[in-house]
Amino acid sequence: MAKVAPLVLFGILALLAAVWASPLSKGTESSNSSEESGEVGEMLKELQEMCKNNSGSDAAFLGLMSSVQETMVCAVASLDLEGLMTDVDTLSNETRFTFFPRYCPQLRKTYSCVNKLVGDVRPCLEDDDYTIVQALVGILPDAVELMCKNDGEILFKYDEPKYSDCLEKLGDSFEECTNSFLNSTDDWDLSNMTQDQCSTMFGFRDCLQGKLGLCKASDLISVYDLFHNTLVRMTPCRNYVEVPKVTLVDNNTVDED
């Protein structure tokens, strides 16, 4: 319980990506097209079994598949996907000043496209898993706003050698944070996390921020905080700490209130 939801969400998103990408690949040959088709088919089979096991019938799966199609139509109507994929290939610190003003408003319009999909996946999941799906989907608006702020500055601000070289040298130091954290999470149940487990999660964030600070890149913790703050709010950890509100301010930095 509370462990399969991210896989379900990513499975649905992968399925949507495969459907959306298919018009862009018409007329081209792909040596692995049959393999990709098989993977999508296996994914659909697993989703169908999960929906039937949790709802008791195939109606939930059929409703979910209908919702996937509606989401695809809505997203295609809101987003110039072909132009986006093309322009991403040439995205740079110079082109970002035209890229983000063009596509960020389109991305914001797609928020509403997933509402029905999230609702229709409900019968396929247990309560805790559905809570996780809602939380993960809830990250998307904040992620887009962080990415779009100041025409994507967060994506390029630390691309200079003085930052990138330093961060690269910190690889082993970051492993100190992740190894310690991952070694303690095997038996975690997100819906019943203890205060000690929450302290471990808070310590992981502090460790990451400390390492980033060595390269004067502490602002990058705002990217991790998209996930961290969501985890805190959806677990008992919310009872042990006040989640900092991420605020984007005019001087191109990220502050925590």
Side-chain angles (χ1 to χ4, degrees), residues 92-248:
S92 67
N93 199 33
E94 289 72 34
T95 63
R96 68 185 177 92
F97 298 104
T98 56
F99 178 90
F100 288 97
R102 178 181 180 186
Y103 292 109
C104 285
Q106 296 181 29
L107 289 170
R108 294 184 183 106
K109 288 182 180 178
T110 63
Y111 294 161
S112 61
C113 295
V114 301
N115 290 338
K116 188 174 186 303
L117 179 62
V118 173
D120 286 343
V121 79
R122 175 66 186 89
C124 298
L125 300 174
E126 297 180 11
D127 290 344
D128 287 347
D129 293 329
Y130 183 63
T131 298
I132 296 175
V133 166
Q134 286 182 304
L136 291 174
V137 171
I139 290 174
L140 297 178
D142 288 339
V144 169
E145 293 310 312
L146 181 61
M147 178 182 67
C148 291
K149 182 66 178 180
N150 293 328
D151 298 322
E153 184 175 33
I154 192 68
L155 301 178
F156 295 93
K157 183 176 180 180
Y158 298 103
D159 198 34
E160 299 176 27
K162 65 179 180 180
Y163 295 117
S164 57
D165 291 349
C166 180
L167 291 171
E168 185 176 350
K169 293 176 182 177
L170 283 179
D172 292 340
S173 293
F174 282 120
E175 287 186 7
E176 294 175 10
C177 301
T178 56
N179 290 341
S180 175
F181 178 67
L182 293 176
N183 289 338
S184 62
T185 60
D186 290 341
D187 59 347
W188 282 16
D189 179 352
L190 293 181
S191 62
N192 295 290
M193 287 180 64
T194 66
Q195 186 169 359
D196 286 344
Q197 290 171 336
C198 293
S199 295
T200 298
M201 189 170 73
F202 302 147
F204 175 63
R205 181 194 181 277
D206 291 342
C207 183
L208 289 180
Q209 188 171 37
K211 301 301 183 184
L212 292 171
L214 296 175
C215 294
K216 302 186 184 303
S218 297
D219 287 356
L220 286 177
I221 198 65
S222 62
V223 178
Y224 170 72
D225 277 345
L226 293 171
F227 303 93
H228 175 86
N229 292 348
T230 296
L231 282 172
V232 171
R233 293 187 183 101
M234 62 181 279
T235 66
C237 297
R238 62 184 175 272
N239 299 319
Y240 306 125
V241 70
E242 181 178 350
V243 179
K245 180 181 178 182
V246 175
T247 305
L248 303 176

Side-chain angles (χ1 to χ4, degrees), residues 33-63:
S33 60
S34 59
E35 179 180 347
E36 292 174 354
S37 178
E39 291 175 354
V40 171
E42 186 65 26
M43 191 184 303
L44 286 173
K45 183 178 178 180
E46 292 179 6
L47 281 174
Q48 184 174 17
E49 291 177 356
M50 184 175 296
C51 291
K52 188 170 184 177
N53 290 339
N54 282 283
S55 68
S57 74
D58 287 324
F61 175 74
L62 296 175

